[in-house]
Structures are given as C-alpha cells and as structure tokens.
Amino acid sequence: MEKMSRVTTALGSSSISGRTMFCHLDAPANAISVCRDATQVVVAGRNIFKIYALEEEQFVEKLNLRVGRKPSLNFSCADVMWHQMEENLLATAATNGAVVTWNLGKPSRNKQEQLFTEHKRTVNKVCFHPTEVYMLLSGSQDGYMKCFDLRKKESVSTFSGQSESVRDVQFSMKDYFTFAASFENGNVQLWDIRRPDRYERMFTAHTGPVFCCDWHPDDRGWLATGGRDKMVKVWDMTTNRAKEIFCVQTIASVARVKWRPERKWHLATCSMMVDHNIYVWDVRRPFIPFATFEEHKDVTTGIVWRHQHDPHFLLSGSKDSTLYQHMFKDASRPVDRANPEGLCFGLFGDLAFAAKESLISGDASRKPYPGGDRRYPIFFFKKPNPTEQFAHVSSALSVFESSVESRHMDWLVKTARLYLLSGKPFAELCDHNAKVAKELNRPQVSTTWTMLRIMFSDPANLSTPGPNHIGKLGTLPLMNSFSMKEMGTGLVAEGRLERSKGESRQDNLHLEPGNSLINSNNDENEETEGSEGQAEYMFGDAELDDDDLYSMEHENHAAEEQEYTLPQEAFPLRHEIMDNPSAPEHLQQDKADSPHASGNEAEVMCLTPIESFSLISISQPLFSPHLPAQFFCPVVREMLIHYAEQGDVQMAVSVLIVLGDRIRKEIDDLTQEHWYTSYIDLLQRLELWNVSNEVIKLSTCSAITCLNQTSTTLHVNCSNCKRPMSNRGWICDRCHQCASVCAVCHHVVKGLFVWCQGCSHGGHLEHVMNWLKSSSHCPAGCGHLCEYT
Amino acid sequence: MNAWTQGFPAEHCPEHHTPSHGWSSSHIIVTFRPQREMFLARSIAADHKDLIHDVSYDFHGRRMATCSSDQSVKVWDKSENGEWICTANWKTHSGSVWRVTWAHPEFGQVLASCSFDRTAAVWEEIVGESSDKQRGLRHWIKRTTLVDSRTSVTDVKFAPKHMGLMLTTCSADGVVRIYEAPDVMNLSQWSLQHEISCKLSSSCISWNPSSSRVHPPMIAVGSDDSSAVYSGKVQIYEYIDHTRKYAKAETLMTVTDPVHDLAFAPNLGRSFHVLAIATKDVRIFKLIPMRRDATHSSTPTKLEIQVLAQFDNHNSQVWRVSWNITSTLLASSGDDGCVRLWKANYMDNWKCTAILRGDGIPVNCSHDVVSQQSLLTASSAERF
C-alpha cells in the first residue's frame, strides 16, 4: 500500500527511491532546502554552500556555490530556500543582514544574482511565495520583515513587527496574501502582504521565543509553532481568534517544525540544543514521539521532507557536519520500547495491574477472525491502520485484591502475633506455637514445634561416658543421611523417631510411661552433678517434665488435654506427606485405632512420641542412657536452614529465639543476623511494631539488639537542682545528691519510677503501691494528697 | 457492574462478593481463581491521558503510585472501605514517565520517577506547609532533578534500606548511575557515587534486597537492546569493598532476547538469590554465591547459576514481573493482557496457579485450560 502511494504521489517527477544514507560536509550546516523534483538538495552554513544530488545509494556533490578566494560574508548563510517553481532560483539569508538570490542557470562560476542589503542585522529566514515566482519574503533579527520583487532592485514593502527579532516567516498555503511571522517575544503575527502598516492579527503563542512556524500543507489553516518553552502548538487560524488545538511537549527547545506530507496529524521537529534527535509526532498523542531519528551526533539545524508528497524520506543537516537522508521505516519507534504494562505485588497479596486497553480487550476484537480461520484470504483481512492505532491509546488500571478468606499474608501476620517467644517455660512455648500453627492450617510447622519440644525438653544428659559416645557417633551419620533424603526437615526428625520407636518398641511395651520418666529423672540426677554450664536449663526442663507427668497421671486438666490432642491430629498428615516405605506399620494401626479410642486411650496414644522417646533412653542403656539435647542440634540446625531457604524466615527466627542457647552456637552469627534482619524488616513492613520490637529484644546478636538504641537519646535532669545529669551515674555532679530517690525506702530507683504529678515525689512502683494502701498522703511527708492514675 | 463471569462454578461464588456498593467509576468482578486463591478485580478509573507504564506500591501497601506517558504521576491512597482514591496528581517531567518507585518510609514519603526527558526526579510529600489552599494540606514537591544522563532514563530504583538513602538509575545508553544522599534529611543533595557502563542499552535494574553482611551489594541490569543479538542481556554487578567499585560478577548468557523487567525476590534470610526476568518468556534464576576466601575480596563473588523455571505461557513478550513479600508468588504480565501467578511447590517445581485478566473476563483459551489443570496439582503442595 505504501509503495503504491509512493508511485502515485510522485508522479509529477521521477519516482523516489533510496535508503538511509549520509555524507560528510566540510563544515556545519545551518539550513537545507530541496528542489521541487526532490533530486537535489542545497546545504548552507557559515562556511558551506553546496548542492548535492540525491542518488539511489549516495549523495553526490554537484556544485559549490561558495566561490572566490576570499568569500564575502554574503556567503555566510543562516537560511536557504530553493524556489518550488523555478528550479534554478535559490535565496539565502546571510548573517550580515544581506538577502541574496542565486541563479543556477548562470554560465559563470559565481551564480549570485541579486543582493539586498536592507536589513541591519542577521536575516533569520527567507521564504518564497508558494505560487508567485518573483515574491520573496525575509525576516530579520532587527525586527523587520521585507518583501522583495525579484524584478526590482529594492524591497517593495517593509513590515515592522514592532517587537524584537523575527525568527520565522511563512507564506500561507491557503491564503494568497497572508503570511505568518514568529517573534522572540513569544508572539505570532499574521500579515496581509498588501498592508504593510499593520498586522492583521497577533497572539501570544509561547512563553519565550517562537523559533519556528509551519503551515499545514493540506490547506487547513493550521499553523504549527515551536518555541523555547519546549512546546509545539498547533493553531487553528480559520476562526476569529487563533485557537490552540494541539500541544506537543518535547524535551528541549524546538528549533524547526515541519508538517509531514500526506500524513494529516504528523509533524517533525528538531531541537536547538542538548537534544540531537529528530522527532516525528502525531499531534493527537502529544506525549510520546511517533518516530525518532537518532543518527546525528550534534544539534540538528535543518530538516526538510524530501518531496512535498512523499512522507517516507526526510533530509537533515547538522552541526556535526553531516547531511542525512532518513528513511521512515528505519526510524526507531519509542512506543515499541515503551512498556505498556505495570504490575506490582502489594503487601497483602494484592496485585496492581495497569495495561494498555487494547491488550486487555485484544481477544474480544479478534474474535470475528480467529487465528486459525483461513476462509478469508489474508488480503481481505483488514489490518488496522498503524497510525490510527498509535493515536488512540489508554491504559486500564485495576487492583486484584486477594479475597478476605484467602488473604495470602494473613497467616504470616497471625503467626507473628500469636507466637509466644519468651516468658514461659520452653515446653509451653513450643506447645503454644504448635497450636497456633495448627490452627492456621500449617501442620508441618506445627509438627516441628511439637518435635522440638520433645527433643529438647527431654531430661537428657550432656556428658556421655566413653562407650556411649561410640553409640552416639553410630547414629549420627544415619540421621544425616535421612535429612538429605527427606524434604521437610521437620519430618526427618519424625522419621528418625519412628524408626527408633520401631526398634525399641517390642521389648518395652510393658513399661509404663510414668516409670520411664521417673527412671530418667534418676539418671539425670546422677549425671548433672558433673556438668555445670547447662545445669540450669536441665533442671528447669526436668521440672517441666514432672509437670507433664503429673498432669498425665491425673488426666483432669482440661487445658492440658487440649494441648495433648495436637500431636494426634498431626499424625495422619505425616503419612500423606512422607510416603516412607520403611515407616513402621504399627503407626498405621495407631491411626486406624485413634478414631475409636476412648478418652483415656487417645491420650496415651497421642503421647506416643514422648513415650517412645523415653523408651529409647531406657531401652538402650548399653549404648547411651539418654539422647542428649545436643544430639539433635545438627538436625535442628539443618531444619532451621531448610526453613530459611524455603523463605519461611519467621519459623527460623522463632525457633532460634525459643531454643535460645540450645541451638545458638550451632549457627554462625552472620546467618543469624541475616535471619533477624530479614524477619524484622518483614515485621516492620507489616507494621507489627510490637512483635518486631520483641524480636529485637530477644535476639542475641549484638548487631540486632543495638537496632533499638539507634537514634535514641535519654536526657536526665537532676531532681534536686534541675540541671542536666552527666552520664556518670546516679549522683548529680553539682549538688552531690542522689537523684530519683525512692520516697519510701530512700534508695536510688533504677527501673520503673512512679511519681505524683502534684508534688513530684515518688519511688519504686511497688513501694509506692504498698504505701498508698495505708495512706493517701505523700510518703515524702510533704503533706500532699497524692493521686496516681 | 459486570455480572458474574461465565463458566464459574456456582459453589465458588460466595455471597458477600456480590457487588453491592454503588461506586460508579469502578466495578468489582470476581475473576478466575484456583480453589482458594480468589481475587476481586477492582477496576480504577485512572484517568491518565496516555499509557500507564508503571504501578508501584509503597512499603506498607497502603499507597500506590502510577506514572504515565502523559508526563504525570498520580498517588493513590487506600480508603477505609478499600477504595483507591487519587490524592495527588501532578506533572513530573516533560516526557513519558517510565517508572515510579517509593523510598523506604524511614526517609519520609518519597518518590522517584524517571523519564524519556533524560532526567530522574525525587519527590517528597509535604504535609501542611503550603499557603496555597487549593493544594490542600498535603502536596508533593520536587526535591531534585538528576540530569546526568544524555538519553532516556529507563529505570529508577532505591537501594535496599540498609545501604542508606541511595538511588540508582539506568539509561538507554547503557549507563547505570548510583547516587547517594549523604544527609538523609536533605533530599535535594545527591552525589553521583558510581557510574557503571553496561555497553548495552539498559531497560531495567533490580537491587538484591539481601541485608546479610555476607552478601555484598548486588545489582542486576537488564537490556532491551535488539541490535546486539547474541549477547547476554542480563548483567550482574557486585560492589567490591577492596576497590570501592562495582564490578561485573556475571552475565546471564542464556538470556539473549530483549529484557523488559527483572526482579530479585525478597531474600528473607536465604543464602542464595532468586532473580525473575521478563523477556520473551518468564524466567526464574537461582544465583548461589560460592564460598570464597576473605583474601580474594578484590574480585566479585563467583555465582553458581541455575535456571529454576522458564515459561512461555504468555505466548508473547513479557513486560513485567513482581514478587510478593514472602517471595512465594511471582506475578508476570505479558502482551496477552493477562497476569499469571507462579508458585513453587516444595520440590521447587514452579507452576502457574492463576491467570488474571485485566478486565475480569476469565481466560478460556485451550492452552490455559492445561495450566489450570496443572495448578490444581500444584495447589495441593504445602503452603508457606
């Protein structure tokens, strides 16, 4: 289609063909102009004035108009124009104020025909009348425009813009007598060539200089203007007042503007500084260039469409001393690289999605002609016009909200809130957290907590004598190999436990759980004497187990019962996930039995892990009397790392805190710090400040605990002399008295200090509370009736 | 209001999702969901005059910024009832605005934008300083314009918070610039710290979010250069403490098609990094830093690179990828106008778990049915 148009539109002369090509000039170009049949181009500049022939593959220099040994300033051109009717006639605007015409038909080397030296300053622009052969118009820096009849020696009329410099003059295509002039003060004037006394119309087009203007070639009365304010505006001049109908915002001041032939909405612009590219805009979509030519290395000074009916070739000259012919199909299309979609994941699993509307509704529009349908020849397939497609775009913005019941992040928030990390005995923390995980439908995590409780709250010993040591070593590799095989590390421990249970079960079935625990307690008592460091922990844990023991024997604690049911519920899942061929069969029996089990039985059943565990410790007295807590450390370490690598840093940190010293040494500090920072960052994102603070407080990494102290300054003033205290302690430097003394016990208060807002006496919270039970007067004896709220 | 979408199993339509409130400019549609992942599509009348190129949530997910070719940025705030209300709209650049991004709230309510006009800008929201009544109590003011680029600035990103207040831009001429605000209270002063020349026209950047001290600062740069056909389009740079410069750690040679977006997954305590890439398909890479001695700190870390997944389900260019905060879900959007969600099961097998259409119409192409099948199997996996 494009080819056809080219042939028909170029009928007047030979058809135009060519490619993107360039040639080096001797000097920077200021302006270019092309002859009517598009076969030659003239390049003019301060030090150049040449004519090149446009051939298929290259530019060929035809003529150098700059002749003479010492060319006069008349050759220094600011602008050049080739007459569109008379193919031998050229006009140039010289920087010294001369307007020169050139006749290429002259036989001599010097083709200069006429010289008008009427302007006092640089002539910025010359313009031939589109239909009148001898009429030439000039616009100068001195603020005057002059009209010349080339048959006469002097100008026929002078137009005074009564303002600063004239930057551009252009004869109207539509109206024989009208021309437009643009000024440095931002105005555009319309003149009638017959009335030199006063302009017909004037309007302010831009803020700052208007560097260029161009009439629409299709006779519509549209005028495009470009200014230093980086804008191109299109004015409808047919109405009484010039009406701005389009405004294109470019990124640099606009030096030239040229409507594109045969394309109603397109115009080309180039810039005066900074930006070296040539842009072609569709005025209906003023934000993004339709096409860009990026070849020039310096400012582009002249652009001209090669033929007035051919939209495919653009010529340009530049300060970088090159002359280019650009082919439109080689232009880069910024919109192709511009991304038509935006996508962002919100905090709670929301998705914000913005997309070009044609992409979203693409399927609907394609429906009449599904892809596989070949009934219609491709020829009839009406392809939407690319320029039409370009002009009409918009984006649809939508937010996909994950619905309430499946909020992605809910479990994370709830878990963070509900987990207990400190403040209770270890086993209770584990049980609580297991329960939380269970309720949030995360059985694996829940099971892990349960396992942790079992592993570490068992009254295990630390120092194992020689022979036992061997036994321990024997089991360790076995365990590791499991952990490599199994996916969930939480399951590793389980699998291992079940195994050992299977081994030990037969000969120990008759043993009561109670007995086993008592035995183990005895064992522990014997052996803890030797170990000092961990004794505290061991003792506390042992006590816990006693509690467990009692509650189990009495079997009447409702709360405990609830807790105990947890592991039982976790059982069925084990088998589903694990699919371990070597899993002991009795477990399936357990599973089958459990629904029918009575309360008492169920309780025993659900305690199987504990039971079996204590069984191990007794049933293998020959190898090791207990499995020490340390024994599990490698497994737990691996489990934590597994959770972290899976992205569940919450689990890793929570376990790390709850286990505390039991596991801390197993994991290197940098990794711990990394987990902490990641988790804290996550909590802060979710605005869980309290949890985040708790984690910071409970962390053992120095880098983390100091987070709470950054940019916190405490200023203390002495309560006696009201002066700022030095940081030396509790005694004021100046009055040498203890500040903040408790009114009741007369000791310095370190910690919570409560005081009456009336008399400002106070002291230890506990002491003051006790005092107030007996008296409502101030304990300091000031007689004030204190009120504490 | 759109009606319930067709082909939707009746039992999957809970009562309370019936659109009931009369917000005229928006409608709520229930889009396709696999089993428990249910999405409400709330369409927002964005009213940008040209294409929207980027959407960005803030740190806490309560604010949203959009930028468009119409040279403006809009800020949206979530109201009590979940509607997004445009609270600010201003002209930011004199060219298409490609990207907009939020700084960590520790530094204030700060946005950065980058544009075709060859600049990047930093904006701050000011509360109650203006005498201008019309602008209301809150308004955005420009704190700085970064004008170092000679070509279109294609992406702008703040560095992870633990590195301080740093801003990175990349431009079409392949230069990545890293700026730092030495004084976090003064957003108008930025100094250019590093200039990395990538040789290829750059389209996107992503910081490795890991806060571990074991991981030096790392940045991935994607290129949409179509002229260099066979070169790797994703480069990874790492900060070398020894030389105080960024050096190339790796080029992903397998990615040779133009890259439109890339995103590191939130690190969350992992020892390795996960990088999602939007090119002609969606790709997920795992970058495992190899152990190294402290003595060799003058060279970048060696990375072992594994391809975790590669999907061409979009059947077209993929434009955007985005991770959720726990890095369990990856969303991608392509020229097909669909958003696809990807999720790994416990075996690290990535599967499509949902397809969302921008207009809420469920997807019923044949190849999508297949992926719906596969997501059913995927959703039985353990959910983290």
Side-chain angles (χ1 to χ4, degrees):
Chain A
M1 211 171 114
E2 288 185 347
K3 265 183 187 158
M4 282 165 66
S5 74
R6 190 190 304 177
V7 173
T8 49
T9 55
L11 269 184
S13 60
S14 59
S15 69
I16 297 172
S17 58
R19 61 181 184 99
T20 297
M21 57 186 183
F22 77 101
C23 72
H24 285 290
L25 309 172
D26 311 326
N30 272 346
I32 60 171
S33 187
V34 74
C35 77
R36 186 185 165 180
D37 61 1
T39 54
Q40 294 182 69
V41 59
V42 58
V43 182
R46 200 169 271 272
N47 293 309
I48 185 172
F49 190 21
K50 279 183 181 174
I51 291 175
Y52 288 85
L54 286 157
E55 298 194 348
E56 191 87 1
E57 292 292 315
Q58 60 188 346
F59 290 101
V60 175
E61 188 181 327
K62 289 294 260 197
L63 189 62
N64 188 356
L65 290 161
R66 208 178 148 82
V67 291
R69 188 169 293 165
K70 200 181 172 207
S72 76
L73 274 176
N74 297 344
F75 288 99
S76 168
C77 306
D79 191 31
V80 63
M81 185 162 182
W82 204 314
H83 203 291
Q84 291 302 298
M85 300 180 70
E86 182 61 64
E87 64 180 41
N88 279 333
L89 191 56
L90 290 169
T92 59
T95 48
N96 64 354
V99 173
V100 192
T101 59
W102 311 77
N103 186 355
L104 299 182
K106 264 187 161 181
S108 68
R109 273 186 68 216
N110 192 343
K111 311 281 184 191
Q112 182 173 327
E113 178 126 307
Q114 291 222 56
L115 180 70
F116 305 99
T117 49
E118 294 183 29
H119 286 294
K120 293 185 185 63
R121 297 182 63 190
T122 302
V123 180
N124 285 322
K125 193 75 192 172
V126 283
C127 182
F128 283 112
H129 194 277
T131 49
E132 195 64 50
V133 178
Y134 298 107
M135 198 184 285
L136 176 69
L137 191 65
S138 68
S140 161
Q141 198 76 14
D142 61 12
Y144 292 99
M145 297 144 278
K146 285 179 188 288
C147 184
F148 304 95
D149 185 331
L150 298 185
R151 293 162 295 196
K152 294 177 180 168
K153 289 275 180 221
E154 281 168 5
S155 62
V156 289
S157 45
T158 300
F159 310 88
S160 169
Q162 287 176 344
S163 89
E164 298 165 59
S165 323
V166 185
R167 295 307 299 234
D168 201 353
V169 282
Q170 291 286 342
F171 277 109
S172 165
M173 300 282 167
K174 181 185 164 82
D175 195 338
Y176 182 90
F177 295 109
T178 308
F179 72 89
S182 73
F183 293 85
E184 273 194 358
N185 62 2
N187 289 344
V188 170
Q189 295 177 352
L190 240 58
W191 290 82
D192 188 315
I193 204 83
R194 299 161 296 187
R195 285 191 57 190
D197 55 326
R198 199 185 145 71
Y199 53 80
E200 300 286 297
R201 284 155 82 173
M202 182 172 83
F203 60 94
T204 304
H206 294 265
T207 53
V210 187
F211 290 132
C212 53
C213 59
D214 194 34
W215 291 94
H216 197 287
D218 290 358
D219 230 18
R220 297 168 187 277
W222 285 5
L223 181 71
T225 58
R228 198 174 64 187
D229 60 0
K230 304 179 184 176
M231 293 203 254
V232 176
K233 291 181 179 175
V234 178
W235 305 87
D236 185 352
M237 306 299 286
T238 54
T239 49
N240 279 335
R241 282 190 64 213
K243 198 174 105 197
E244 181 187 324
I245 46 176
F246 296 105
C247 178
V248 175
Q249 171 92 56
T250 72
I251 66 174
S253 57
V254 182
R256 310 266 176 187
V257 55
K258 284 274 180 278
W259 287 97
R260 187 179 175 200
E262 310 289 310
R263 294 290 183 273
K264 183 178 168 186
W265 309 101
H266 288 187
L267 49 81
T269 66
C270 66
S271 159
M272 191 159 277
M273 53 184 77
V274 185
D275 193 358
H276 311 153
N277 297 343
I278 301 163
Y279 300 104
V280 178
W281 303 86
D282 186 315
V283 291
R284 292 167 300 175
R285 190 173 176 188
F287 306 113
I288 188 163
F290 178 72
T292 313
F293 300 100
E294 294 163 343
E295 283 87 356
H296 284 299
K297 305 280 187 295
D298 203 339
V299 172
T300 308
T301 48
I303 47 173
V304 59
W305 293 96
R306 184 171 163 186
H307 190 274
Q308 55 180 331
H309 293 295
D310 188 333
H312 302 293
F313 293 95
L314 179 74
L315 300 166
S316 69
S318 158
K319 281 247 161 63
D320 66 2
S321 304
T322 56
L323 173 67
Y324 260 93
Q325 170 171 281
H326 309 277
M327 234 172 103
F328 211 80
K329 71 173 174 57
D330 293 337
S332 73
R333 307 289 180 105
V335 79
D336 289 349
R337 288 178 69 177
N339 148 338
E341 288 175 342
L343 181 68
C344 189
F345 240 120
L347 192 59
F348 297 97
D350 303 2
L351 259 175
F353 179 51
K356 194 169 156 185
E357 256 164 12
S358 62
L359 289 182
I360 299 173
S361 56
D363 278 8
S365 65
R366 254 182 270 140
K367 251 167 202 164
Y369 299 102
D373 197 345
R374 289 268 172 259
R375 279 176 298 170
Y376 305 96
I378 224 80
F379 187 76
F380 292 116
F381 193 87
K382 199 183 170 201
K383 225 172 117 185
N385 187 346
T387 62
E388 290 306 308
Q389 268 188 335
F390 177 82
H392 303 289
V393 286
S394 60
S395 280
L397 175 65
S398 46
V399 173
F400 298 107
E401 293 170 356
S402 48
S403 58
V404 185
E405 86 268 25
S406 70
R407 294 279 288 262
H408 279 87
M409 290 308 125
D410 266 9
W411 62 264
L412 186 76
V413 176
K414 279 190 184 142
T415 312
R417 284 224 178 92
L418 296 175
Y419 267 5
L420 283 180
L421 301 178
S422 67
K424 283 193 176 174
F426 170 71
E428 276 179 54
L429 293 179
C430 288
D431 279 341
H432 175 88
N433 294 344
K435 200 168 119 191
V436 168
K438 183 83 191 86
E439 274 164 10
L440 290 168
N441 201 17
R442 301 173 74 209
Q444 192 183 352
V445 173
S446 168
T447 315
T448 308
W449 280 111
T450 315
M451 298 312 301
L452 282 172
R453 185 182 71 117
I454 295 158
M455 286 175 188
F456 286 92
S457 59
D458 192 71
N461 59 339
L462 289 163
S463 54
T464 39
N468 302 338
H469 202 66
I470 298 163
K472 207 170 91 186
L473 284 177
T475 43
L476 262 171
L478 177 73
M479 213 170 60
N480 283 342
S481 67
F482 268 118
S483 56
M484 300 309 273
K485 269 187 237 162
E486 305 282 347
M487 282 312 297
T489 326
L491 300 173
V492 175
E494 270 176 59
R496 201 200 52 73
L497 264 179
E498 277 151 20
R499 227 159 250 260
S500 49
K501 186 164 68 179
E503 287 166 18
S504 59
R505 198 166 168 97
Q506 313 92 312
D507 42 349
N508 288 292
L509 274 175
H510 60 281
L511 269 175
E512 293 292 323
N515 280 342
S516 68
L517 280 169
I518 291 161
N519 283 348
S520 58
N521 277 349
N522 289 342
D523 285 349
E524 188 223 335
N525 288 341
E526 282 164 26
E527 297 194 21
T528 39
E529 286 171 275
S531 58
E532 314 106 32
Q534 310 271 330
E536 249 178 55
Y537 288 104
M538 300 315 300
F539 193 64
D541 291 341
E543 273 182 349
L544 264 179
D545 269 36
D546 279 345
D547 284 349
D548 281 0
L549 177 68
Y550 289 132
S551 63
M552 189 182 67
E553 277 178 357
H554 301 312
E555 59 178 87
N556 49 10
H557 267 272
E560 304 275 13
E561 239 175 67
Q562 216 180 359
E563 263 177 30
Y564 284 139
T565 52
L566 284 173
Q568 186 192 13
E569 282 170 27
F571 264 42
L573 253 155
R574 251 195 234 168
H575 265 274
E576 271 174 32
I577 300 173
M578 209 167 56
D579 195 23
N580 187 345
S582 61
E585 280 180 7
H586 72 269
L587 208 92
Q588 271 139 29
Q589 287 167 10
D590 281 1
K591 198 175 134 196
D593 286 347
S594 54
H596 313 292
S598 67
N600 192 13
E601 274 172 332
E603 218 162 46
V604 178
M605 212 69 81
C606 69
L607 279 167
T608 345
I610 302 174
E611 177 200 13
S612 64
F613 202 73
S614 42
L615 287 176
I616 303 167
S617 50
I618 302 151
S619 65
Q620 301 174 323
L622 280 175
F623 307 109
S624 80
H626 301 289
L627 288 171
Q630 259 184 356
F631 178 87
F632 298 105
C633 285
V635 193
V636 175
R637 190 180 85 96
E638 227 159 87
M639 178 203 75
L640 289 186
I641 290 172
H642 172 82
Y643 272 113
E645 306 285 84
Q646 289 283 318
D648 192 358
V649 72
Q650 179 177 51
M651 186 65 186
V653 171
S654 304
V655 171
L656 200 59
I657 292 174
V658 169
L659 285 180
D661 281 348
R662 296 177 186 85
I663 190 72
R664 213 178 66 210
K665 292 188 184 67
E666 293 288 320
I667 297 166
D668 73 287
D669 287 347
L670 281 175
T671 310
Q672 284 192 34
E673 189 187 316
H674 187 197
W675 291 351
Y676 275 119
T677 50
S678 305
Y679 188 42
I680 289 164
D681 187 60
L682 200 59
L683 291 172
Q684 293 184 344
R685 255 195 115 157
L686 293 160
E687 297 174 84
L688 298 165
W689 310 110
N690 292 339
V691 184
S692 137
N693 194 41
E694 192 187 354
V695 170
I696 293 175
K697 251 167 63 187
L698 291 173
S699 72
T700 43
C701 292
S702 54
I704 303 301
T705 40
C706 74
L707 280 180
N708 257 0
Q709 286 146 28
T710 50
S711 60
T712 305
T713 322
L714 217 66
H715 296 284
V716 186
N717 282 21
C718 173
S719 60
N720 294 321
C721 61
K722 310 286 188 286
R723 302 252 178 82
M725 301 262 293
S726 68
N727 50 7
R728 281 199 9 222
W730 302 97
I731 296 183
C732 176
D733 292 346
R734 294 189 174 79
C735 57
H736 300 286
Q737 281 195 7
C738 283
S740 56
V741 178
C742 176
V744 182
C745 67
H746 300 289
H747 285 105
V748 174
V749 183
K750 298 177 180 178
L752 278 181
F753 184 91
V754 64
W755 74 96
C756 168
Q757 306 227 322
C759 64
S760 74
H761 290 115
H764 292 105
L765 176 65
E766 203 183 335
H767 293 167
V768 172
M769 277 169 74
N770 281 335
W771 176 270
L772 287 173
K773 277 179 194 160
S774 55
S775 165
S776 61
H777 286 276
C778 178
C782 68
H784 186 253
L785 276 169
C786 292
E787 280 180 51
Y788 294 90
T789 47
Chain B
M1 296 283 165
N2 286 37
W4 291 104
T5 50
Q6 303 160 0
F8 206 80
E11 68 270 20
H12 283 173
C13 298
E15 292 299 311
H16 63 273
H17 285 131
T18 312
S20 54
H21 66 84
W23 190 30
S24 59
S25 62
S26 89
H27 47 264
I28 293 181
I29 315 139
V30 179
T31 42
F32 166 77
R33 59 152 194 182
Q35 292 191 331
R36 58 176 159 239
E37 269 154 45
M38 176 93 145
F39 281 96
L40 296 168
R42 189 191 283 274
S43 116
I44 297 168
D47 202 27
H48 275 291
K49 293 184 191 67
D50 206 308
L51 286 186
I52 296 172
H53 296 299
D54 200 14
V55 196
S56 171
Y57 278 108
D58 80 334
F59 189 71
H60 296 302
R62 300 191 194 289
R63 314 191 86 184
M64 187 166 72
T66 54
C67 66
S68 157
S69 257
D70 69 5
Q71 307 171 354
S72 70
V73 165
K74 290 188 184 200
V75 173
W76 306 80
D77 283 307
K78 199 171 190 174
S79 68
E80 292 294 313
N81 55 2
E83 285 171 22
W84 288 95
I85 294 161
C86 180
T87 53
N89 172 23
W90 72 102
K91 182 176 182 291
T92 48
H93 289 273
S94 50
S96 298
V97 189
W98 298 135
R99 294 269 198 166
V100 63
T101 186
W102 294 84
H104 191 278
E106 187 177 301
F107 306 115
Q109 291 296 308
V110 178
L111 277 175
S113 58
C114 66
S115 163
F116 183 73
D117 72 1
R118 307 171 175 190
T119 65
V122 177
W123 309 87
E124 188 180 19
E125 189 179 41
I126 297 298
V127 180
E129 240 178 50
S130 165
S131 54
D132 189 351
K133 283 278 184 287
Q134 276 193 326
R135 288 201 288 191
L137 274 177
R138 299 161 159 266
H139 64 276
W140 290 83
I141 57 173
K142 187 191 269 188
R143 286 302 188 194
T144 196
T145 307
L146 305 170
V147 294
D148 299 277
S149 174
R150 305 294 299 271
T151 53
S152 170
V153 183
T154 47
D155 200 355
V156 62
K157 290 271 153 60
F158 284 101
K161 190 198 75 175
H162 63 267
M163 291 172 61
L165 186 51
M166 291 179 102
L167 188 66
T168 318
T169 63
C170 74
S171 52
D173 57 0
V175 182
V176 174
R177 293 182 175 83
I178 300 174
Y179 299 88
E180 184 173 11
D183 175 12
V184 294
M185 301 304 289
N186 182 5
L187 289 169
S188 37
Q189 202 181 56
W190 293 82
S191 56
L192 180 59
Q193 297 283 335
H194 301 279
E195 256 186 340
I196 312 168
S197 178
C198 299
K199 309 284 194 300
L200 290 173
S201 170
S202 310
S203 58
C204 48
I205 42 179
S206 177
W207 279 97
N208 180 358
S210 169
S211 57
S212 168
R213 279 190 282 154
V214 187
H215 302 145
M218 182 192 277
I219 189 165
V221 185
S223 162
D224 62 352
D225 204 320
S226 45
S227 57
V229 184
Y230 294 112
S231 55
K233 293 296 193 311
V234 175
Q235 300 174 7
I236 292 161
Y237 292 88
E238 198 178 69
Y239 183 70
I240 311 294
D241 228 4
H242 195 68
T243 56
R244 302 193 176 181
K245 281 203 168 75
Y246 280 83
K248 195 189 283 182
E250 196 67 55
T251 304
L252 301 184
M253 294 308 292
T254 51
V255 185
T256 53
D257 295 288
V259 171
H260 304 294
D261 197 13
L262 41 75
F264 273 107
N267 179 269
L268 299 176
R270 288 194 188 94
S271 61
F272 55 89
H273 318 298
V274 179
L275 179 68
I277 293 169
T279 167
K280 69 174 202 297
D281 46 22
V282 182
R283 289 190 207 183
I284 306 171
F285 285 91
K286 184 175 178 179
L287 314 174
I288 309 162
M290 309 292 269
R291 292 229 172 270
R292 61 164 180 180
D293 317 323
T295 50
H296 291 94
S297 58
S298 57
T299 54
T301 319
K302 281 254 180 301
L303 295 170
E304 186 195 325
I305 293 172
Q306 296 174 3
V307 182
L308 289 182
Q310 183 167 358
F311 301 105
D312 56 0
N313 298 39
H314 281 292
N315 267 328
S316 57
Q317 292 292 329
V318 181
W319 289 106
R320 284 286 192 249
V321 283
S322 179
W323 292 93
N324 70 344
I325 55 161
T326 48
S327 73
T328 48
L329 271 176
L330 175 72
S332 66
S333 70
D335 254 344
D336 58 354
C338 294
V339 177
R340 281 158 209 269
L341 298 184
W342 311 94
K343 187 180 203 167
N345 67 2
Y346 64 99
M347 298 283 285
D348 243 5
N349 272 333
W350 288 81
K351 295 243 167 73
C352 180
T353 65
I355 303 159
L356 306 164
R357 280 283 299 267
D359 55 358
I361 300 170
V363 178
N364 50 8
C365 317
S366 57
H367 68 271
D368 288 326
V369 175
V370 178
S371 42
Q372 284 179 29
Q373 298 289 322
S374 64
L375 68 89
L376 291 179
T377 55
S379 57
S380 64
E382 169 70 12
R383 191 158 66 112
F384 282 103

